[in-house]
Amino acid sequence: AAPELFEAIAGQALTRFREFNSQDMANTVWAFATAAVAAPLLLEAIAGEASGRIREFNSQEIANTAWAFATAVVAAPKLFEAIAGEARTQVRTFNAQDMANTVWAFATAAVAAPELFEAIAGEA
């Protein structure tokens, strides 16, 4: 990873994250998690923003966001709660990868979501 680049991106993103659409939020947290670059302030800010706007997220954005927070080991209980609720609503639109990533993220983050798991099992 290029730490200086990610630091610059995090700094700019912290001033603009409220302008992000759902794809911007999902892609940003995914990039930081994939590159294994810690940006706790940014991820916490996006978690708060995404929690209130989770209905804007499609199935891939939901799955990727959950995966990113679990991978980055950033506790975001309100976000995971919001994701669980919205994922149950959208479960019929989830493909196999979305389902697998979402279940993996909840298990890895040690977040109990039995109703979500039941909904996903019903679609798998």
Side-chain angles (χ1 to χ4, degrees), residues 107-118:
T108 299
V111 175
E115 292 174 359
L116 171 59
F117 282 28
E118 288 173 18

Side-chain angles (χ1 to χ4, degrees), residues 2-116:
E4 299 83 16
L5 175 61
F6 276 94
E7 186 177 319
I9 291 169
Q12 286 298 309
L14 268 170
T15 67
R16 303 184 67 174
F17 70 92
R18 287 186 180 87
E19 300 168 25
F20 286 8
N21 64 31
S22 56
Q23 184 177 5
D24 297 335
M25 288 186 265
N27 288 351
T28 300
V29 297
W30 178 89
F32 278 84
T34 300
V37 174
L41 293 178
L42 176 60
L43 269 60
E44 289 168 13
I46 290 176
E49 187 71 13
S51 295
R53 295 173 48 198
I54 200 67
R55 289 189 175 135
E56 298 173 23
F57 285 59
N58 66 32
S59 59
Q60 183 180 14
E61 294 161 350
I62 289 170
N64 288 352
T65 300
W67 178 91
F69 276 87
T71 299
V73 193
V74 173
K78 288 183 181 181
L79 176 60
F80 274 94
E81 181 181 335
I83 286 172
E86 188 59 24
R88 283 194 318 271
T89 301
Q90 292 190 34
V91 71
R92 292 178 191 260
T93 68
F94 277 46
N95 64 30
Q97 188 69 57
D98 298 336
M99 289 182 199
N101 286 354
T102 302
V103 169
W104 179 90
F106 275 77
T108 299
V111 175
E115 292 174 359
L116 171 59

